[in-house]
Amino acid sequence: MAIVVDKSHRWRVVAAHAFLIALTLAVLFPFLMILSISLRPGNFSTGSIIPETISWEHWRFALGLPYQAPDGRLVTPDLPVLRWLWNSVKVAAMSAVIAIALSTTAAYAFARMKFVGKKAALTGLMLMQMFPAVLALVALYAIFDRIGSVFPSFGIDSHAALLLAYSGGIALHVWTIKGYYETIPVEIEEAAKVDGATPWQAFRLVLLPMALPILMVVFLLAFINAIIEYPVASVLLHQQDQLTLAVGSKMFLYEQKYLWGDFAASAILSGLPITLVFVLAQKWMVSGLTAGGIKG
Amino acid sequence: MNPNRPLQRYGGPALLLLFAAASLYLVTAVYAAGQTLLASIVLLIVALALWIYSSARTYAFRYLFPGIAAALAFVVFPMLYTMDIGFTNYSSKNLLDFPRATQYFLDETSRAEGATYAFTVHPDGRQYRLRFEQADSAKAYLSEPLALAKETPLTIKPEPAENVKIALADPVPLKELIALQPRLKALSVEMPDGHLRMTGLREFAPVQPLYEKQPDGALKNRETGALIKPNFKTGFYETAAGERLQPGFQVGIGLENYKRVFTDPKFSQPFARIFGWTVGFAALSMFLTAALGMLLAVLFNWDSLRFKTAYRTLLFLPYAVPGFISILVFKGLFNNNFGEINLILDALFGIKPAWFSDPLLAKSMLLIVNTWLGYPYMMLVCMGLLKSIPADLYEASAVAGAGPLTNFFRITLPLLIKPLTPLLIACFAFNFNNFVLISLLTAGHPDFLDTTAPAGTTDLLVSYTYRIAFQDSGQNYGLAASISTVIFVMVAVISLVQMRFTRIAEEEKR
């Protein structure tokens, strides 16, 4: 655009590149370091970014395979990383399904029906999500402790308790889906109703298939939210086998038991798929939301 | 149009009836287990559900009910319940409710008059028989075969040994006996001359309840004759001399927790300091992430810069990696002795900063990590907002001979800040309650050295509540809940401010 290039302009470009390269290196440093550490032998080893000797012991640890320690012993990993990853994926997938089921129906009523207190309910939902669950941890613990004394499978240390606790956080999803429904012309459903469809059939067979892109987005968002959730899971889950990844991961870095290398391998193993899902969700979100567009 | 009409016609009501029956069973089970509050909540939800799904007038609510009920039960109710707990003395010392605490005292036993019995356990197939023998009279009794699989209380009535004609196997060895001990302790044995409980590894002896309930609610100790009375102000059974007996029970204590937070120096002093750091941390995090994000967005908006996509993709990465993993990675990298950051600093400058034991360094570390985690979001938002600034403004300023700094402070920043303000406040609110970062990176440490109650220099209000409730000694849920309530109020104020600015930003747009 600017045709006349003055002297200061060129070195400004150079300075900008220098700054961006330095920043990129600083941002990437942890990622490169963790990859290098996961391949170094031992949990306290130091060295250059490219390890001199490559050892797969930490990766074997992360995968739950026994490995040979430097002193020749055969060590069986004592932290069930894959189990935690499975727990996380299981809880996150189920919680995303619940979130979809609860929020698509509620959003349908908000977008297409008239009823008393609609505006108040919508505002209430908006207000609700401003208060994070971390403020109600004491009550959540007390509630599930009580439930557990009657139904142990829904009490502390059960994944069902975690699913219930997550099921309430649908406010944002309801708003997002409602916004998308409102971009779909109501005439299509009305035509179906003229043909004799009940409101449920119009919703289930006409509206939902058209809303598929936003459902995918919401599913992935709910999935990621659940998989990275830490506070509630840390209060509700205690037994090592029941932990989710977010809670279990911190057991690597205790002062008394410092499993730095093992953590590095487990972090890559579990972080990579989650990161890929997130990037995917971002891509879909951009296309899904621009196709529908959220309106407040 | 639908071939299976009867299913449509009767399927719904049948399902509803089934649901009603199942939930009534559920409510009864909960009520029978002594959870009256939980039972009434479930009953309320079930009644509401039945009404909504049976009445034609509430059709819209059929779609709303599951979602709204979940939100009410697991978001709104826990918040209200937190506020409620804030007015009680609920803690590890006062864990039980009053009837259960009373039952605990009534279940205590003491050794009663009467003969003791030596016992042996004999395997009988997969089950066990117990043989009791009175030491003085050599009278022996034999029990039924017992599974002894669970620690459930069970009363047994052994018969005189001469009436049972079977050959007994050898008694189990001591090791197995010790393993069986908890299950044997749950047994209550009825003999002609009294009730027996297990009192040692080899003997059962008659016992009696230690306390006897008096009509006025006090409990009388049978051995000493002393009375203990429940005190509903302190939540303990107390002796005449005022000595408190464990376990205590939950009682409402009014504003006592709030008084402690604001006036008792033991708690008010750390509270004030932690509040100061919480606000400072949230404000600085907001400022640093916004500054870096905005700078990057402006750079990426600059036509002369090449390789923008590559930079943008790489600089977006911290946003895509799960937070708990990045935070723990930093925890390792910043480690005082083996952390790679200190190794590099040591090699370059010969210094090894104590990131985790020096308060100021710990705070800087938190801000560095939080900026790393938070700037990509701000970058994305600012890039979006920059697109809406018309290019002719810059052309005009170029004609007037303005430099890039003038452009930024006179055109870009003023135009960005209005729509950005609600997001900045949201960022402030998020960091105000950034429990995950603190909990995983420093856990609030290093602690203040001059406070009596444990409190950390890097604790935020939320992580401080978590410590009071779930860590350290005491597990004081009531106190933690009262501080949570204070945080609720603060978050509400922040949200109000945010909504105001959102409205202003939206009106500007029109």
Side-chain angles (χ1 to χ4, degrees):
Chain A
M1 193 170 48
I3 304 149
V4 190
V5 177
D6 58 25
K7 268 184 235 157
S8 69
H9 185 262
R10 187 162 295 159
W11 77 258
R12 248 191 266 139
V13 173
V14 174
H17 276 292
F19 169 73
L20 284 174
I21 289 171
L23 188 71
T24 310
L25 285 181
V27 164
L28 294 185
F29 168 73
F31 297 121
L32 298 177
M33 216 59 226
I34 209 76
L35 181 64
S36 158
I37 288 159
S38 77
L39 295 173
R40 288 178 191 166
N43 275 316
F44 300 99
S45 79
T46 55
S48 61
I49 276 239
I50 300 158
E52 292 98 40
T53 44
I54 285 186
S55 146
W56 295 103
E57 59 181 284
H58 304 310
W59 284 91
R60 293 188 70 94
F61 182 100
L63 292 167
L65 304 168
Y67 60 91
Q68 197 121 34
D71 54 2
R73 284 176 305 124
L74 203 64
V75 183
T76 323
D78 54 351
L79 296 179
V81 181
L82 285 183
R83 168 103 208 203
W84 291 340
L85 185 61
W86 165 240
N87 285 346
S88 278
V89 170
K90 187 178 81 177
V91 168
M94 284 163 78
S95 129
V97 169
I98 295 174
I100 287 279
L102 296 184
S103 50
T104 44
T105 44
Y108 178 60
F110 279 125
R112 293 286 194 259
M113 294 176 184
K114 280 192 192 121
F115 54 89
V116 193
K118 178 165 153 180
K119 212 168 172 200
L122 272 171
T123 323
L125 278 177
M126 186 77 126
L127 285 178
M128 223 187 270
Q129 51 99 18
M130 290 186 170
F131 296 87
V134 66
L135 294 179
L137 287 184
V138 172
L140 281 173
Y141 177 81
I143 289 169
F144 284 104
D145 194 35
R146 265 165 198 261
I147 294 181
S149 69
V150 191
F151 307 104
S153 49
F154 286 90
I156 301 289
D157 258 328
S158 71
H159 291 156
L162 208 55
L163 288 176
L164 283 179
Y166 290 163
S167 71
I170 53 160
L172 212 59
H173 304 321
V174 171
W175 271 87
T176 312
I177 299 177
K178 169 183 165 281
Y180 194 89
Y181 284 165
E182 280 166 356
T183 63
I184 299 173
V186 72
E187 286 76 20
I188 308 179
E189 287 152 66
E190 268 162 11
K193 279 185 200 165
V194 168
D195 289 342
T198 61
W200 170 255
Q201 284 170 328
F203 165 66
R204 165 79 190 72
L205 302 172
V206 180
L207 185 62
L208 266 193
M210 284 195 288
L212 201 61
I214 200 72
L215 299 190
M216 300 285 247
V217 171
V218 169
F219 181 88
L220 285 180
L221 282 182
F223 182 85
I224 290 166
N225 280 347
I227 221 165
I228 63 173
E229 203 282 338
Y230 169 75
V232 175
S234 84
V235 167
L236 292 185
L237 304 177
H238 300 287
Q239 277 172 23
Q240 183 162 298
D241 274 351
Q242 292 289 87
L243 298 186
T244 59
L245 198 65
V247 186
S249 292
K250 82 175 170 182
M251 298 179 88
F252 285 100
L253 298 179
Y254 285 130
E255 285 293 320
Q256 311 86 334
K257 194 180 172 200
Y258 194 71
L259 306 174
W260 189 208
D262 299 333
F263 168 71
S266 316
I268 300 174
L269 182 76
S270 51
L272 210 58
I274 305 176
T275 308
L276 288 178
V277 173
F278 184 84
V279 173
L280 206 68
Q282 283 285 319
K283 260 210 177 116
W284 275 354
M285 191 147 66
V286 172
S287 56
L289 291 190
T290 44
I294 35 168
K295 292 180 190 163
Chain B
M1 98 210 114
N2 206 327
N4 36 9
R5 264 265 165 88
L7 185 74
Q8 258 202 345
R9 190 148 174 209
Y10 301 110
L15 215 63
L16 211 61
L17 273 178
L18 210 67
F19 170 75
S23 37
L24 272 181
Y25 168 76
L26 190 87
V27 172
T28 328
V30 177
Y31 182 75
Q35 300 282 9
T36 321
L37 179 72
L38 193 64
S40 36
I41 292 175
V42 177
L43 187 65
L44 188 77
I45 295 176
V46 169
L48 212 59
L50 284 178
W51 176 56
I52 284 173
Y53 287 98
S54 58
S55 161
R57 277 171 54 208
T58 54
Y59 191 81
F61 290 100
R62 292 186 193 183
Y63 292 86
L64 281 175
F65 182 75
I68 300 280
L72 286 179
F74 298 110
V75 178
V76 177
F77 176 68
M79 286 186 202
L80 298 177
Y81 193 38
T82 304
M83 295 179 192
D84 182 47
I85 292 174
F87 295 107
T88 70
N89 64 350
Y90 186 29
S91 66
S92 59
K93 278 187 195 145
N94 301 70
L95 201 58
L96 307 172
D97 49 14
F98 177 63
R100 287 218 191 171
T102 310
Q103 197 54 47
Y104 177 90
F105 286 110
L106 291 176
D107 284 346
E108 277 198 70
T109 53
S110 68
R111 181 81 163 71
E113 301 269 309
T116 57
Y117 289 77
F119 80 99
T120 41
V121 180
H122 303 264
D124 185 350
R126 294 189 140 203
Q127 297 181 310
Y128 299 95
R129 278 177 191 265
L130 269 63
R131 185 172 184 277
F132 300 91
E133 189 174 317
Q134 201 183 336
D136 329 325
S137 61
K139 251 195 243 161
Y141 296 85
L142 203 64
S143 76
E144 301 266 281
L146 302 165
L148 294 183
K150 277 190 259 169
E151 290 173 36
T152 39
L154 182 72
T155 306
I156 56 169
K157 222 174 177 179
E159 290 196 43
E162 57 264 27
N163 296 1
V164 188
K165 299 271 182 286
I166 65 153
L168 274 182
D170 284 338
V172 299
L174 192 64
K175 201 175 150 198
E176 199 179 336
L177 189 64
I178 290 172
L180 285 173
Q181 194 179 9
R183 295 160 208 178
L184 290 172
K185 282 216 156 154
L187 290 182
S188 160
V189 182
E190 230 173 276
M191 286 291 186
D193 52 348
H195 287 280
L196 306 184
R197 301 296 292 246
M198 186 177 178
T199 51
L201 263 182
R202 296 191 189 284
E203 65 163 26
F204 269 66
V207 291
Q208 62 177 9
L210 182 58
Y211 290 102
E212 194 177 25
K213 199 162 189 176
Q214 304 293 308
D216 63 345
L219 302 179
K220 185 175 170 191
N221 189 321
R222 281 186 211 238
E223 280 187 337
T224 62
L227 282 177
I228 57 169
K229 282 183 185 154
N231 182 335
F232 289 99
K233 288 224 171 74
T234 59
F236 285 100
Y237 271 96
E238 291 177 353
T239 62
E243 190 197 340
R244 294 172 179 187
L245 298 175
Q246 292 288 349
F249 47 89
Q250 295 176 40
V251 285
I253 51 168
L255 292 170
E256 206 52 47
N257 286 324
Y258 293 92
K259 258 191 213 154
R260 281 167 83 187
V261 173
F262 291 113
T263 60
D264 181 354
K266 191 178 158 198
F267 291 101
S268 67
Q269 223 197 355
F271 181 83
R273 289 193 213 170
I274 289 170
F275 176 68
W277 161 240
T278 307
V279 173
F281 169 78
L284 279 172
S285 297
M286 173 188 82
F287 177 76
L288 289 172
T289 50
L292 187 56
M294 208 184 278
L295 174 67
L296 289 171
V298 170
L299 277 179
F300 291 144
N301 211 30
W302 190 19
D303 293 320
S304 315
L305 198 74
R306 295 178 60 202
F307 312 119
K308 273 186 260 192
T309 328
Y311 285 132
R312 213 171 43 208
T313 317
L314 290 175
L315 289 174
F316 168 77
L317 267 183
Y319 188 53
V321 176
F324 70 91
I325 289 182
S326 326
I327 295 169
L328 287 169
V329 166
F330 274 109
K331 186 178 179 179
L333 291 177
F334 271 107
N335 187 294
N336 292 350
N337 299 315
F338 334 105
E340 273 64 22
I341 289 179
N342 270 9
L343 292 178
I344 292 172
L345 288 178
D346 194 26
L348 290 181
F349 310 107
I351 48 167
K352 275 191 161 190
W355 296 106
F356 286 93
S357 39
D358 181 81
L360 199 64
L361 283 173
K363 287 176 180 178
S364 333
M365 172 180 70
L366 284 171
L367 285 173
I368 294 171
V369 175
N370 207 22
T371 308
W372 188 94
L373 289 168
Y375 80 86
Y377 175 71
M378 285 292 175
M379 178 178 92
L380 287 183
V381 168
C382 289
M383 276 162 58
L385 292 176
L386 278 180
K387 280 194 189 126
S388 64
I389 299 180
D392 47 357
L393 284 179
Y394 294 104
E395 277 162 27
S397 85
V399 169
L405 279 182
T406 326
N407 271 348
F408 178 74
F409 284 108
R410 289 295 183 77
I411 302 175
T412 318
L413 191 62
L415 284 173
L416 273 187
I417 208 76
K418 268 267 169 61
L420 202 57
T421 308
L423 290 168
L424 288 178
I425 300 173
C427 172
F428 180 88
F430 173 79
N431 284 312
F432 194 88
N433 291 318
N434 199 338
F435 172 76
V436 179
L437 176 71
I438 303 293
S439 166
L440 290 181
L441 196 55
T442 65
H445 299 299
D447 279 358
F448 288 116
L449 298 173
D450 54 346
T451 53
T452 34
T457 46
T458 59
D459 258 329
L460 300 181
L461 284 177
V462 265
S463 62
Y464 182 49
T465 7
Y466 184 85
R467 277 175 94 163
I468 295 177
F470 300 107
Q471 288 172 349
D472 303 327
S473 54
Q475 301 208 330
N476 199 332
Y477 303 115
L479 187 66
S482 70
I483 299 181
S484 289
T485 310
V486 175
I487 308 177
F488 275 131
V489 176
M490 294 177 186
V491 173
V493 171
I494 299 173
S495 306
L496 279 179
V497 175
Q498 186 191 356
M499 286 202 291
R500 245 200 107 82
F501 277 100
T502 314
R503 207 166 296 145
I504 291 172
E506 264 168 18
E507 274 163 16
E508 288 278 311
K509 234 188 265 171
R510 271 168 215 156

